[in-house]
Structure formats: structure tokens, C-alpha cells
Amino acid sequence: MEDFIERFEADGAICLRAAIDPEQLELLRCGIERNISSPSPFFRNLGGETGGFLSDMWSRRYIPEFQRFCTESPAAAIAARAMRADSVRLAQDTWFMKRPGSGERTPWHHDTVVDGPFCSLWVALDPTPRAATLEFVRGSHAWGKALMPKSFFEAPTADTPAVDRFYAEFHGDQSRPDAEEFGEIPDIEADRDAYDIIGWDMEPGDCVLFDARTIHGAPGNSFGHCMRRFVTRWVTDASVVARHGQEMIDALAGAGLDISLRIGGPIRGDMFPEFRPVPASVA
């Protein structure tokens, strides 16, 4: 178990094989279908006119299958072990579906709206070849600076892909008075050999556990079947809302959700339930 934690802390991302059982996977598949029929205010068609890349967030509130997974699966226990914590809080649930032939790439980014312990568990619901899986720049969680997507520094245009706009949605833009404190995500695709990029062939039930600050992205789906992924994001009581988190706070409040969040404040409340899990057995 200590080896699992040390690998996670050193690399920023690791693959956990067969961590989720078939019954829990089927819950998630059914939940996604239910969610597509009953989208939340955060539902996004990231594929533009093609409709090939779909996502929703914080929908466990009314999708019972997602709620069951979050409370019954080993996800909380895995996150607690990874962050060396006795308890964790569920910061977000989200899912992504890339339909066959969807060419939309998940752009390289990292998740910085939380300061302090913050990790994600990415569950493969379908066979996911290495050529379509989530990739990481090994060790980039330790770079020590919040990096923003290009659209933070350049105003999006009508030609900016929906997926790029999505990944800039909760970060503001260069009009922020502290914009100079942020760096820009490098153009990793233009010089992949310059980075230590890791990823894995994955079967249903395999997971990627990663520090949210590890830079990650994913290709489109050039294969003949859907690729669905369910992600839970976890924090501890030491985690706080980052200085550029106001857009996230405003979005949650604008969706009518009962939250009590402030910049620099802890992540608490019914939206972010606490778990005190039994330690998970992870290979």
C-alpha cells in the first residue's frame, strides 16, 4: 500500500487495475443514460454540432446511480489513502462520453480551483486503448504554478472549439488584476517528445488516480465504440477554494445550489459530503 502512495506522490498519476467491480460499473453506465435524458445546468455538448463529446457535473444530487457509486464504491477510500487522510470530502462528480469518431481532443490542462490536497479518480467504463486514454505529464503536479489555458490569455472567438471554452469556463481571463501570477499551459502536442507523457491501455473497472494539478489531456475517439469515463474529485479539510475560484462559486450559486463557499475558505456543506472510509485494498 505504501508503494501505491509513493508512486502517486512521485508521478502525480497512477493506474489501478480492476479497482471497480462490474456491478458498480453498470450503475455508472445506467446513470449516464439517465443523466443524458435529464441534464443538469452543467450539462455540456463539447462536440459542437457533431454532439460527439458530452459531459455533466454535480449530477449525483438527482441521479441515484451516481449517488450509490459515490457512497458504496471504494473511491473515497482510495482518495483518502492517496492523500494520507482519515476523512475526505467529495468535491465533484462528473462524467465524459466520447462517441465513436468524435475527434474532439480534451485539451491539456490541470485543475487548480482548489488549493491544498485535491485528487481525482477517473474510472474507465469501456475498453480504452492507449491511443484514446487520458494522458499525463509525469511529475507536473510539482511544477508549483497554476497554469491557465490559452483562452485565459486570448479572448475566445466564434471559431474557438466548445471544449476549449469549457476548460476555461471557471478560470476567468487576463483581465484579472492578478493575471500575471498565472502561467500558460505549454503547447504539449507541438513537442510531445519534450515531456514525459504517460498513459495506459485500460479495461472497464480500471482507474487512473491523479493529483488534480498533474497536467492531463486526452485524444478524440477514433474507435468504433463509445468511451465513457466517470470521475470523482476529492479534497480534505485542509483544502480551500483557490484565489481564482470565484467563477466556480458564481456558477454553483447561479444554478440554484445551496453552497457556502468563499475564496480562501474551506470546502464544506451538503454539496461536499464527508466520508470516513475503511482503507481500500489497492494493488
Side-chain angles (χ1 to χ4, degrees), residues 68-149:
R68 280 190 58 192
F69 176 84
C70 291
T71 56
E72 298 174 10
S73 79
I78 293 170
R81 292 293 298 189
M83 295 189 290
R84 300 180 184 265
D86 293 329
S87 67
V88 292
R89 290 184 180 272
L90 178 58
Q92 186 188 68
D93 58 277
T94 186
W95 57 266
F96 301 97
M97 173 192 284
K98 289 185 179 179
R99 289 176 169 149
S102 171
E104 290 82 15
R105 178 179 177 86
T106 303
W108 290 99
H109 68 286
H110 63 173
D111 306 317
T112 61
V113 76
V114 171
D115 285 337
F118 186 22
C119 74
S120 298
L121 190 71
W122 186 100
V123 182
L125 306 186
D126 303 285
T128 307
R130 175 65 181 82
T133 196
L134 195 62
E135 299 182 300
F136 300 85
V137 177
R138 193 198 310 261
S140 55
H141 62 305
W143 286 1
K145 189 170 187 178
L147 303 177
M148 297 296 188

Side-chain angles (χ1 to χ4, degrees), residues 32-33 36 52-54 95-99 226-228:
I32 288 174
E33 291 306 309
I36 291 172
F53 185 9
L54 306 178
W95 57 266
F96 301 97
M97 173 192 284
K98 289 185 179 179
R99 289 176 169 149
C226 274
M227 293 189 193
R228 295 162 291 182

Side-chain angles (χ1 to χ4, degrees), residues 21 33 47 58 79 100 106 139-140 146 165 172 177 199 202-203 214-215 219 233 243 246-247:
D21 69 37
E33 291 306 309
W58 289 294
T106 303
S140 55
R165 291 197 298 271
M202 300 181 71
E203 293 298 323
T214 308
I215 293 176
R233 307 192 193 282
R243 63 192 185 282
Q246 190 61 50
E247 284 79 12

Side-chain angles (χ1 to χ4, degrees), residues 116-189:
F118 186 22
C119 74
S120 298
L121 190 71
W122 186 100
V123 182
L125 306 186
D126 303 285
T128 307
R130 175 65 181 82
T133 196
L134 195 62
E135 299 182 300
F136 300 85
V137 177
R138 193 198 310 261
S140 55
H141 62 305
W143 286 1
K145 189 170 187 178
L147 303 177
M148 297 296 188
K150 185 176 182 179
S151 54
F152 178 88
F153 301 95
E154 298 179 8
T157 69
D159 296 327
T160 302
V163 66
D164 290 307
R165 291 197 298 271
F166 171 75
Y167 280 98
E169 190 172 343
F170 301 115
H171 298 94
D173 56 37
Q174 64 179 344
S175 65
R176 293 178 55 93
D178 58 355
E180 72 281 354
E181 296 180 20
F182 304 109
E184 184 175 342
I185 291 283
D187 190 352
I188 294 169
E189 284 303 293

